[in-house]
Amino acid sequence: MAKFLIVEARFYDKLNDMLIEGATDALKAAGHEYEVITVPGALEIPSAISLAIDSDLYDGFVAIGVVIRGETYHFEIVAGESARGIMALTMDGAAIGNGILTVENEDQALARADKSRKNKGGEAAQAAIAMHELAMKFTT
């Protein structure tokens, strides 16, 4: 049994709740423990994971958030930089599943967050589990 930290950027409550439900269901089904923390926005997710990595309390991480395109360039910065930060941490060996949705509109987000449709929260948790298992294979 491993322990995972779900780091969520809560902005769209209903969508986040759906993503968290998918992620926690997947972790429970695999027999793992988890905790959930909330950060101000998607840009803060990599930083929070980095701090948690240094604590040695967790075996893997699930990033959860929703970024919907608006009328400004801010979308590209948030989407790109949050993904870049997570990727940098994975290249250092962290087991992370990226469940940050970057979409054009709320309908796309709903389709991806809904467990009965695309279940991206569950997929992110499954990715984190798979990467943790791979890390264990290489360290034993």
PDB file of all heavy atoms in Angstrom, residues 51-88:
ATOM      1  N   LEU A  51       7.290  20.730  -2.490  1.00  0.00           N
ATOM      2  CA  LEU A  51       7.405  20.794  -1.029  1.00  0.00           C
ATOM      3  C   LEU A  51       7.063  19.450  -0.396  1.00  0.00           C
ATOM      4  O   LEU A  51       7.736  19.000   0.539  1.00  0.00           O
ATOM      5  CB  LEU A  51       6.481  21.877  -0.473  1.00  0.00           C
ATOM      6  CG  LEU A  51       6.845  23.314  -0.829  1.00  0.00           C
ATOM      7  CD1 LEU A  51       5.695  24.252  -0.472  1.00  0.00           C
ATOM      8  CD2 LEU A  51       8.130  23.731  -0.139  1.00  0.00           C
ATOM      9  N   ALA A  52       6.035  18.791  -0.906  1.00  0.00           N
ATOM     10  CA  ALA A  52       5.623  17.496  -0.357  1.00  0.00           C
ATOM     11  C   ALA A  52       6.661  16.411  -0.642  1.00  0.00           C
ATOM     12  O   ALA A  52       6.864  15.524   0.185  1.00  0.00           O
ATOM     13  CB  ALA A  52       4.256  17.104  -0.917  1.00  0.00           C
ATOM     14  N   ILE A  53       7.296  16.474  -1.797  1.00  0.00           N
ATOM     15  CA  ILE A  53       8.358  15.507  -2.115  1.00  0.00           C
ATOM     16  C   ILE A  53       9.446  15.586  -1.058  1.00  0.00           C
ATOM     17  O   ILE A  53       9.933  14.559  -0.566  1.00  0.00           O
ATOM     18  CB  ILE A  53       8.940  15.763  -3.522  1.00  0.00           C
ATOM     19  CG1 ILE A  53       7.934  15.347  -4.593  1.00  0.00           C
ATOM     20  CG2 ILE A  53      10.275  15.034  -3.705  1.00  0.00           C
ATOM     21  CD1 ILE A  53       8.313  15.804  -5.991  1.00  0.00           C
ATOM     22  N   ASP A  54       9.806  16.787  -0.690  1.00  0.00           N
ATOM     23  CA  ASP A  54      10.863  16.977   0.306  1.00  0.00           C
ATOM     24  C   ASP A  54      10.483  16.433   1.678  1.00  0.00           C
ATOM     25  O   ASP A  54      11.357  16.138   2.485  1.00  0.00           O
ATOM     26  CB  ASP A  54      11.228  18.461   0.424  1.00  0.00           C
ATOM     27  CG  ASP A  54      11.945  18.980  -0.815  1.00  0.00           C
ATOM     28  OD1 ASP A  54      12.459  18.156  -1.604  1.00  0.00           O
ATOM     29  OD2 ASP A  54      11.984  20.211  -0.992  1.00  0.00           O
ATOM     30  N   SER A  55       9.192  16.257   1.933  1.00  0.00           N
ATOM     31  CA  SER A  55       8.745  15.754   3.238  1.00  0.00           C
ATOM     32  C   SER A  55       8.896  14.245   3.376  1.00  0.00           C
ATOM     33  O   SER A  55       8.863  13.722   4.483  1.00  0.00           O
ATOM     34  CB  SER A  55       7.273  16.117   3.468  1.00  0.00           C
ATOM     35  OG  SER A  55       6.421  15.274   2.693  1.00  0.00           O
ATOM     36  N   ASP A  56       9.016  13.534   2.253  1.00  0.00           N
ATOM     37  CA  ASP A  56       9.094  12.065   2.242  1.00  0.00           C
ATOM     38  C   ASP A  56       7.863  11.394   2.852  1.00  0.00           C
ATOM     39  O   ASP A  56       7.945  10.253   3.304  1.00  0.00           O
ATOM     40  CB  ASP A  56      10.355  11.564   2.956  1.00  0.00           C
ATOM     41  CG  ASP A  56      11.582  11.645   2.073  1.00  0.00           C
ATOM     42  OD1 ASP A  56      11.438  11.619   0.833  1.00  0.00           O
ATOM     43  OD2 ASP A  56      12.692  11.726   2.627  1.00  0.00           O
ATOM     44  N   LEU A  57       6.737  12.068   2.866  1.00  0.00           N
ATOM     45  CA  LEU A  57       5.515  11.489   3.418  1.00  0.00           C
ATOM     46  C   LEU A  57       4.678  10.746   2.378  1.00  0.00           C
ATOM     47  O   LEU A  57       3.787   9.976   2.740  1.00  0.00           O
ATOM     48  CB  LEU A  57       4.648  12.589   4.049  1.00  0.00           C
ATOM     49  CG  LEU A  57       5.238  13.305   5.256  1.00  0.00           C
ATOM     50  CD1 LEU A  57       4.347  14.481   5.657  1.00  0.00           C
ATOM     51  CD2 LEU A  57       5.416  12.338   6.409  1.00  0.00           C
ATOM     52  N   TYR A  58       4.959  10.970   1.100  1.00  0.00           N
ATOM     53  CA  TYR A  58       4.087  10.450   0.044  1.00  0.00           C
ATOM     54  C   TYR A  58       4.886   9.676  -0.994  1.00  0.00           C
ATOM     55  O   TYR A  58       6.039   9.991  -1.275  1.00  0.00           O
ATOM     56  CB  TYR A  58       3.329  11.603  -0.628  1.00  0.00           C
ATOM     57  CG  TYR A  58       2.558  12.418   0.366  1.00  0.00           C
ATOM     58  CD1 TYR A  58       3.067  13.614   0.861  1.00  0.00           C
ATOM     59  CD2 TYR A  58       1.339  11.974   0.859  1.00  0.00           C
ATOM     60  CE1 TYR A  58       2.376  14.358   1.798  1.00  0.00           C
ATOM     61  CE2 TYR A  58       0.640  12.711   1.801  1.00  0.00           C
ATOM     62  CZ  TYR A  58       1.166  13.895   2.270  1.00  0.00           C
ATOM     63  OH  TYR A  58       0.478  14.613   3.208  1.00  0.00           O
ATOM     64  N   ASP A  59       4.219   8.697  -1.570  1.00  0.00           N
ATOM     65  CA  ASP A  59       4.830   7.877  -2.602  1.00  0.00           C
ATOM     66  C   ASP A  59       4.523   8.368  -4.007  1.00  0.00           C
ATOM     67  O   ASP A  59       5.203   8.004  -4.960  1.00  0.00           O
ATOM     68  CB  ASP A  59       4.348   6.423  -2.466  1.00  0.00           C
ATOM     69  CG  ASP A  59       4.705   5.855  -1.108  1.00  0.00           C
ATOM     70  OD1 ASP A  59       5.913   5.786  -0.806  1.00  0.00           O
ATOM     71  OD2 ASP A  59       3.785   5.502  -0.347  1.00  0.00           O
ATOM     72  N   GLY A  60       3.465   9.150  -4.130  1.00  0.00           N
ATOM     73  CA  GLY A  60       3.061   9.655  -5.437  1.00  0.00           C
ATOM     74  C   GLY A  60       2.078  10.797  -5.278  1.00  0.00           C
ATOM     75  O   GLY A  60       1.593  11.080  -4.168  1.00  0.00           O
ATOM     76  N   PHE A  61       1.767  11.423  -6.407  1.00  0.00           N
ATOM     77  CA  PHE A  61       0.977  12.642  -6.385  1.00  0.00           C
ATOM     78  C   PHE A  61      -0.015  12.662  -7.544  1.00  0.00           C
ATOM     79  O   PHE A  61       0.280  12.137  -8.622  1.00  0.00           O
ATOM     80  CB  PHE A  61       1.903  13.856  -6.488  1.00  0.00           C
ATOM     81  CG  PHE A  61       2.967  13.832  -5.426  1.00  0.00           C
ATOM     82  CD1 PHE A  61       4.183  13.201  -5.656  1.00  0.00           C
ATOM     83  CD2 PHE A  61       2.735  14.393  -4.189  1.00  0.00           C
ATOM     84  CE1 PHE A  61       5.161  13.144  -4.678  1.00  0.00           C
ATOM     85  CE2 PHE A  61       3.704  14.340  -3.196  1.00  0.00           C
ATOM     86  CZ  PHE A  61       4.912  13.712  -3.439  1.00  0.00           C
ATOM     87  N   VAL A  62      -1.150  13.302  -7.292  1.00  0.00           N
ATOM     88  CA  VAL A  62      -2.152  13.504  -8.327  1.00  0.00           C
ATOM     89  C   VAL A  62      -2.456  14.997  -8.370  1.00  0.00           C
ATOM     90  O   VAL A  62      -2.859  15.582  -7.359  1.00  0.00           O
ATOM     91  CB  VAL A  62      -3.444  12.704  -8.053  1.00  0.00           C
ATOM     92  CG1 VAL A  62      -4.452  12.902  -9.176  1.00  0.00           C
ATOM     93  CG2 VAL A  62      -3.140  11.217  -7.858  1.00  0.00           C
ATOM     94  N   ALA A  63      -2.238  15.600  -9.529  1.00  0.00           N
ATOM     95  CA  ALA A  63      -2.523  17.025  -9.721  1.00  0.00           C
ATOM     96  C   ALA A  63      -3.930  17.168 -10.286  1.00  0.00           C
ATOM     97  O   ALA A  63      -4.268  16.535 -11.289  1.00  0.00           O
ATOM     98  CB  ALA A  63      -1.512  17.632 -10.682  1.00  0.00           C
ATOM     99  N   ILE A  64      -4.753  17.985  -9.644  1.00  0.00           N
ATOM    100  CA  ILE A  64      -6.152  18.168 -10.050  1.00  0.00           C
ATOM    101  C   ILE A  64      -6.441  19.654 -10.186  1.00  0.00           C
ATOM    102  O   ILE A  64      -6.144  20.438  -9.282  1.00  0.00           O
ATOM    103  CB  ILE A  64      -7.122  17.556  -9.018  1.00  0.00           C
ATOM    104  CG1 ILE A  64      -6.946  16.047  -8.911  1.00  0.00           C
ATOM    105  CG2 ILE A  64      -8.569  17.943  -9.318  1.00  0.00           C
ATOM    106  CD1 ILE A  64      -7.400  15.257 -10.102  1.00  0.00           C
ATOM    107  N   GLY A  65      -7.057  20.035 -11.291  1.00  0.00           N
ATOM    108  CA  GLY A  65      -7.471  21.421 -11.496  1.00  0.00           C
ATOM    109  C   GLY A  65      -8.164  21.569 -12.836  1.00  0.00           C
ATOM    110  O   GLY A  65      -8.176  20.651 -13.658  1.00  0.00           O
ATOM    111  N   VAL A  66      -8.724  22.734 -13.036  1.00  0.00           N
ATOM    112  CA  VAL A  66      -9.413  23.034 -14.288  1.00  0.00           C
ATOM    113  C   VAL A  66      -9.005  24.437 -14.731  1.00  0.00           C
ATOM    114  O   VAL A  66      -9.139  25.390 -13.970  1.00  0.00           O
ATOM    115  CB  VAL A  66     -10.950  22.972 -14.115  1.00  0.00           C
ATOM    116  CG1 VAL A  66     -11.652  23.308 -15.428  1.00  0.00           C
ATOM    117  CG2 VAL A  66     -11.394  21.605 -13.605  1.00  0.00           C
ATOM    118  N   VAL A  67      -8.510  24.521 -15.964  1.00  0.00           N
ATOM    119  CA  VAL A  67      -8.162  25.804 -16.555  1.00  0.00           C
ATOM    120  C   VAL A  67      -8.991  25.933 -17.829  1.00  0.00           C
ATOM    121  O   VAL A  67      -8.832  25.139 -18.761  1.00  0.00           O
ATOM    122  CB  VAL A  67      -6.651  25.889 -16.880  1.00  0.00           C
ATOM    123  CG1 VAL A  67      -6.307  27.264 -17.438  1.00  0.00           C
ATOM    124  CG2 VAL A  67      -5.812  25.566 -15.644  1.00  0.00           C
ATOM    125  N   ILE A  68      -9.886  26.920 -17.836  1.00  0.00           N
ATOM    126  CA  ILE A  68     -10.763  27.142 -18.990  1.00  0.00           C
ATOM    127  C   ILE A  68     -10.310  28.409 -19.714  1.00  0.00           C
ATOM    128  O   ILE A  68     -10.090  29.444 -19.085  1.00  0.00           O
ATOM    129  CB  ILE A  68     -12.234  27.261 -18.550  1.00  0.00           C
ATOM    130  CG1 ILE A  68     -12.683  25.952 -17.877  1.00  0.00           C
ATOM    131  CG2 ILE A  68     -13.134  27.586 -19.748  1.00  0.00           C
ATOM    132  CD1 ILE A  68     -14.103  25.970 -17.322  1.00  0.00           C
ATOM    133  N   ARG A  69     -10.181  28.300 -21.024  1.00  0.00           N
ATOM    134  CA  ARG A  69      -9.725  29.440 -21.831  1.00  0.00           C
ATOM    135  C   ARG A  69     -10.650  30.637 -21.608  1.00  0.00           C
ATOM    136  O   ARG A  69     -11.851  30.514 -21.615  1.00  0.00           O
ATOM    137  CB  ARG A  69      -9.694  29.085 -23.311  1.00  0.00           C
ATOM    138  CG  ARG A  69      -9.124  30.228 -24.169  1.00  0.00           C
ATOM    139  CD  ARG A  69      -9.098  29.889 -25.647  1.00  0.00           C
ATOM    140  NE  ARG A  69      -8.278  28.740 -25.966  1.00  0.00           N
ATOM    141  CZ  ARG A  69      -6.954  28.756 -26.106  1.00  0.00           C
ATOM    142  NH1 ARG A  69      -6.287  29.881 -25.918  1.00  0.00           N
ATOM    143  NH2 ARG A  69      -6.295  27.664 -26.414  1.00  0.00           N
ATOM    144  N   GLY A  70     -10.032  31.770 -21.418  1.00  0.00           N
ATOM    145  CA  GLY A  70     -10.776  33.019 -21.290  1.00  0.00           C
ATOM    146  C   GLY A  70     -10.469  33.933 -22.455  1.00  0.00           C
ATOM    147  O   GLY A  70     -10.055  33.476 -23.529  1.00  0.00           O
ATOM    148  N   GLU A  71     -10.603  35.199 -22.227  1.00  0.00           N
ATOM    149  CA  GLU A  71     -10.393  36.182 -23.296  1.00  0.00           C
ATOM    150  C   GLU A  71      -8.962  36.703 -23.358  1.00  0.00           C
ATOM    151  O   GLU A  71      -8.634  37.485 -24.246  1.00  0.00           O
ATOM    152  CB  GLU A  71     -11.347  37.354 -23.098  1.00  0.00           C
ATOM    153  CG  GLU A  71     -12.807  36.945 -23.205  1.00  0.00           C
ATOM    154  CD  GLU A  71     -13.746  38.108 -22.941  1.00  0.00           C
ATOM    155  OE1 GLU A  71     -13.262  39.247 -22.753  1.00  0.00           O
ATOM    156  OE2 GLU A  71     -14.950  37.878 -22.930  1.00  0.00           O
ATOM    157  N   THR A  72      -8.106  36.267 -22.437  1.00  0.00           N
ATOM    158  CA  THR A  72      -6.746  36.790 -22.403  1.00  0.00           C
ATOM    159  C   THR A  72      -5.728  35.677 -22.591  1.00  0.00           C
ATOM    160  O   THR A  72      -6.054  34.486 -22.582  1.00  0.00           O
ATOM    161  CB  THR A  72      -6.458  37.490 -21.056  1.00  0.00           C
ATOM    162  OG1 THR A  72      -6.424  36.500 -20.020  1.00  0.00           O
ATOM    163  CG2 THR A  72      -7.511  38.538 -20.749  1.00  0.00           C
ATOM    164  N   TYR A  73      -4.470  36.057 -22.699  1.00  0.00           N
ATOM    165  CA  TYR A  73      -3.357  35.139 -22.870  1.00  0.00           C
ATOM    166  C   TYR A  73      -3.063  34.335 -21.599  1.00  0.00           C
ATOM    167  O   TYR A  73      -2.321  33.359 -21.630  1.00  0.00           O
ATOM    168  CB  TYR A  73      -2.122  35.964 -23.276  1.00  0.00           C
ATOM    169  CG  TYR A  73      -0.901  35.149 -23.587  1.00  0.00           C
ATOM    170  CD1 TYR A  73      -0.847  34.345 -24.719  1.00  0.00           C
ATOM    171  CD2 TYR A  73       0.196  35.174 -22.747  1.00  0.00           C
ATOM    172  CE1 TYR A  73       0.284  33.590 -25.002  1.00  0.00           C
ATOM    173  CE2 TYR A  73       1.326  34.428 -23.020  1.00  0.00           C
ATOM    174  CZ  TYR A  73       1.361  33.636 -24.152  1.00  0.00           C
ATOM    175  OH  TYR A  73       2.472  32.894 -24.423  1.00  0.00           O
ATOM    176  N   HIS A  74      -3.665  34.701 -20.496  1.00  0.00           N
ATOM    177  CA  HIS A  74      -3.406  34.051 -19.207  1.00  0.00           C
ATOM    178  C   HIS A  74      -3.591  32.535 -19.282  1.00  0.00           C
ATOM    179  O   HIS A  74      -2.853  31.782 -18.651  1.00  0.00           O
ATOM    180  CB  HIS A  74      -4.325  34.662 -18.140  1.00  0.00           C
ATOM    181  CG  HIS A  74      -4.041  34.199 -16.758  1.00  0.00           C
ATOM    182  ND1 HIS A  74      -2.869  34.499 -16.089  1.00  0.00           N
ATOM    183  CD2 HIS A  74      -4.771  33.434 -15.905  1.00  0.00           C
ATOM    184  CE1 HIS A  74      -2.893  33.946 -14.892  1.00  0.00           C
ATOM    185  NE2 HIS A  74      -4.031  33.290 -14.757  1.00  0.00           N
ATOM    186  N   PHE A  75      -4.564  32.067 -20.048  1.00  0.00           N
ATOM    187  CA  PHE A  75      -4.818  30.634 -20.205  1.00  0.00           C
ATOM    188  C   PHE A  75      -3.560  29.896 -20.635  1.00  0.00           C
ATOM    189  O   PHE A  75      -3.210  28.862 -20.073  1.00  0.00           O
ATOM    190  CB  PHE A  75      -5.942  30.412 -21.224  1.00  0.00           C
ATOM    191  CG  PHE A  75      -6.134  28.964 -21.623  1.00  0.00           C
ATOM    192  CD1 PHE A  75      -6.936  28.126 -20.870  1.00  0.00           C
ATOM    193  CD2 PHE A  75      -5.512  28.449 -22.748  1.00  0.00           C
ATOM    194  CE1 PHE A  75      -7.121  26.800 -21.233  1.00  0.00           C
ATOM    195  CE2 PHE A  75      -5.689  27.121 -23.120  1.00  0.00           C
ATOM    196  CZ  PHE A  75      -6.497  26.300 -22.354  1.00  0.00           C
ATOM    197  N   GLU A  76      -2.881  30.410 -21.667  1.00  0.00           N
ATOM    198  CA  GLU A  76      -1.690  29.746 -22.179  1.00  0.00           C
ATOM    199  C   GLU A  76      -0.585  29.681 -21.125  1.00  0.00           C
ATOM    200  O   GLU A  76       0.117  28.676 -21.014  1.00  0.00           O
ATOM    201  CB  GLU A  76      -1.165  30.450 -23.442  1.00  0.00           C
ATOM    202  CG  GLU A  76      -1.946  30.121 -24.696  1.00  0.00           C
ATOM    203  CD  GLU A  76      -3.220  30.949 -24.867  1.00  0.00           C
ATOM    204  OE1 GLU A  76      -3.481  31.862 -24.043  1.00  0.00           O
ATOM    205  OE2 GLU A  76      -3.968  30.661 -25.806  1.00  0.00           O
ATOM    206  N   ILE A  77      -0.435  30.751 -20.372  1.00  0.00           N
ATOM    207  CA  ILE A  77       0.591  30.766 -19.329  1.00  0.00           C
ATOM    208  C   ILE A  77       0.282  29.728 -18.259  1.00  0.00           C
ATOM    209  O   ILE A  77       1.140  28.926 -17.895  1.00  0.00           O
ATOM    210  CB  ILE A  77       0.716  32.175 -18.715  1.00  0.00           C
ATOM    211  CG1 ILE A  77       1.272  33.141 -19.762  1.00  0.00           C
ATOM    212  CG2 ILE A  77       1.590  32.149 -17.462  1.00  0.00           C
ATOM    213  CD1 ILE A  77       1.203  34.588 -19.364  1.00  0.00           C
ATOM    214  N   VAL A  78      -0.949  29.729 -17.757  1.00  0.00           N
ATOM    215  CA  VAL A  78      -1.317  28.794 -16.689  1.00  0.00           C
ATOM    216  C   VAL A  78      -1.246  27.354 -17.178  1.00  0.00           C
ATOM    217  O   VAL A  78      -0.673  26.490 -16.510  1.00  0.00           O
ATOM    218  CB  VAL A  78      -2.712  29.126 -16.123  1.00  0.00           C
ATOM    219  CG1 VAL A  78      -3.160  28.068 -15.118  1.00  0.00           C
ATOM    220  CG2 VAL A  78      -2.716  30.505 -15.485  1.00  0.00           C
ATOM    221  N   ALA A  79      -1.816  27.081 -18.351  1.00  0.00           N
ATOM    222  CA  ALA A  79      -1.813  25.715 -18.880  1.00  0.00           C
ATOM    223  C   ALA A  79      -0.386  25.229 -19.126  1.00  0.00           C
ATOM    224  O   ALA A  79      -0.010  24.133 -18.699  1.00  0.00           O
ATOM    225  CB  ALA A  79      -2.628  25.649 -20.167  1.00  0.00           C
ATOM    226  N   GLY A  80       0.402  26.042 -19.794  1.00  0.00           N
ATOM    227  CA  GLY A  80       1.753  25.628 -20.151  1.00  0.00           C
ATOM    228  C   GLY A  80       2.701  25.527 -18.974  1.00  0.00           C
ATOM    229  O   GLY A  80       3.449  24.552 -18.839  1.00  0.00           O
ATOM    230  N   GLU A  81       2.673  26.514 -18.110  1.00  0.00           N
ATOM    231  CA  GLU A  81       3.626  26.535 -16.997  1.00  0.00           C
ATOM    232  C   GLU A  81       3.284  25.511 -15.912  1.00  0.00           C
ATOM    233  O   GLU A  81       4.193  24.948 -15.294  1.00  0.00           O
ATOM    234  CB  GLU A  81       3.735  27.937 -16.410  1.00  0.00           C
ATOM    235  CG  GLU A  81       4.413  28.924 -17.354  1.00  0.00           C
ATOM    236  CD  GLU A  81       5.815  28.490 -17.757  1.00  0.00           C
ATOM    237  OE1 GLU A  81       6.629  28.135 -16.893  1.00  0.00           O
ATOM    238  OE2 GLU A  81       6.097  28.508 -18.975  1.00  0.00           O
ATOM    239  N   SER A  82       2.014  25.249 -15.679  1.00  0.00           N
ATOM    240  CA  SER A  82       1.682  24.208 -14.696  1.00  0.00           C
ATOM    241  C   SER A  82       2.118  22.844 -15.230  1.00  0.00           C
ATOM    242  O   SER A  82       2.686  22.038 -14.486  1.00  0.00           O
ATOM    243  CB  SER A  82       0.189  24.225 -14.341  1.00  0.00           C
ATOM    244  OG  SER A  82      -0.615  23.970 -15.468  1.00  0.00           O
ATOM    245  N   ALA A  83       1.901  22.597 -16.520  1.00  0.00           N
ATOM    246  CA  ALA A  83       2.339  21.331 -17.122  1.00  0.00           C
ATOM    247  C   ALA A  83       3.865  21.230 -17.117  1.00  0.00           C
ATOM    248  O   ALA A  83       4.424  20.164 -16.831  1.00  0.00           O
ATOM    249  CB  ALA A  83       1.804  21.208 -18.542  1.00  0.00           C
ATOM    250  N   ARG A  84       4.559  22.329 -17.422  1.00  0.00           N
ATOM    251  CA  ARG A  84       6.018  22.331 -17.422  1.00  0.00           C
ATOM    252  C   ARG A  84       6.565  22.026 -16.032  1.00  0.00           C
ATOM    253  O   ARG A  84       7.495  21.242 -15.867  1.00  0.00           O
ATOM    254  CB  ARG A  84       6.557  23.677 -17.914  1.00  0.00           C
ATOM    255  CG  ARG A  84       8.078  23.685 -18.062  1.00  0.00           C
ATOM    256  CD  ARG A  84       8.638  25.097 -18.161  1.00  0.00           C
ATOM    257  NE  ARG A  84       8.343  25.912 -16.994  1.00  0.00           N
ATOM    258  CZ  ARG A  84       8.934  25.806 -15.804  1.00  0.00           C
ATOM    259  NH1 ARG A  84       9.867  24.901 -15.604  1.00  0.00           N
ATOM    260  NH2 ARG A  84       8.602  26.591 -14.811  1.00  0.00           N
ATOM    261  N   GLY A  85       5.957  22.643 -15.009  1.00  0.00           N
ATOM    262  CA  GLY A  85       6.405  22.409 -13.640  1.00  0.00           C
ATOM    263  C   GLY A  85       6.214  20.963 -13.214  1.00  0.00           C
ATOM    264  O   GLY A  85       7.088  20.368 -12.581  1.00  0.00           O
ATOM    265  N   ILE A  86       5.086  20.391 -13.572  1.00  0.00           N
ATOM    266  CA  ILE A  86       4.835  18.984 -13.243  1.00  0.00           C
ATOM    267  C   ILE A  86       5.807  18.084 -13.997  1.00  0.00           C
ATOM    268  O   ILE A  86       6.377  17.148 -13.428  1.00  0.00           O
ATOM    269  CB  ILE A  86       3.370  18.614 -13.523  1.00  0.00           C
ATOM    270  CG1 ILE A  86       2.464  19.314 -12.500  1.00  0.00           C
ATOM    271  CG2 ILE A  86       3.162  17.099 -13.504  1.00  0.00           C
ATOM    272  CD1 ILE A  86       0.998  19.241 -12.817  1.00  0.00           C
ATOM    273  N   MET A  87       6.020  18.367 -15.269  1.00  0.00           N
ATOM    274  CA  MET A  87       6.942  17.552 -16.063  1.00  0.00           C
ATOM    275  C   MET A  87       8.352  17.613 -15.489  1.00  0.00           C
ATOM    276  O   MET A  87       9.047  16.589 -15.431  1.00  0.00           O
ATOM    277  CB  MET A  87       6.944  18.010 -17.523  1.00  0.00           C
ATOM    278  CG  MET A  87       7.832  17.163 -18.409  1.00  0.00           C
ATOM    279  SD  MET A  87       7.413  15.394 -18.419  1.00  0.00           S
ATOM    280  CE  MET A  87       5.839  15.416 -19.216  1.00  0.00           C
ATOM    281  N   ALA A  88       8.782  18.773 -15.044  1.00  0.00           N
ATOM    282  CA  ALA A  88      10.122  18.889 -14.447  1.00  0.00           C
ATOM    283  C   ALA A  88      10.247  17.993 -13.220  1.00  0.00           C
ATOM    284  O   ALA A  88      11.274  17.342 -13.021  1.00  0.00           O
ATOM    285  CB  ALA A  88      10.413  20.346 -14.082  1.00  0.00           C
TER     286      ALA A  88
END
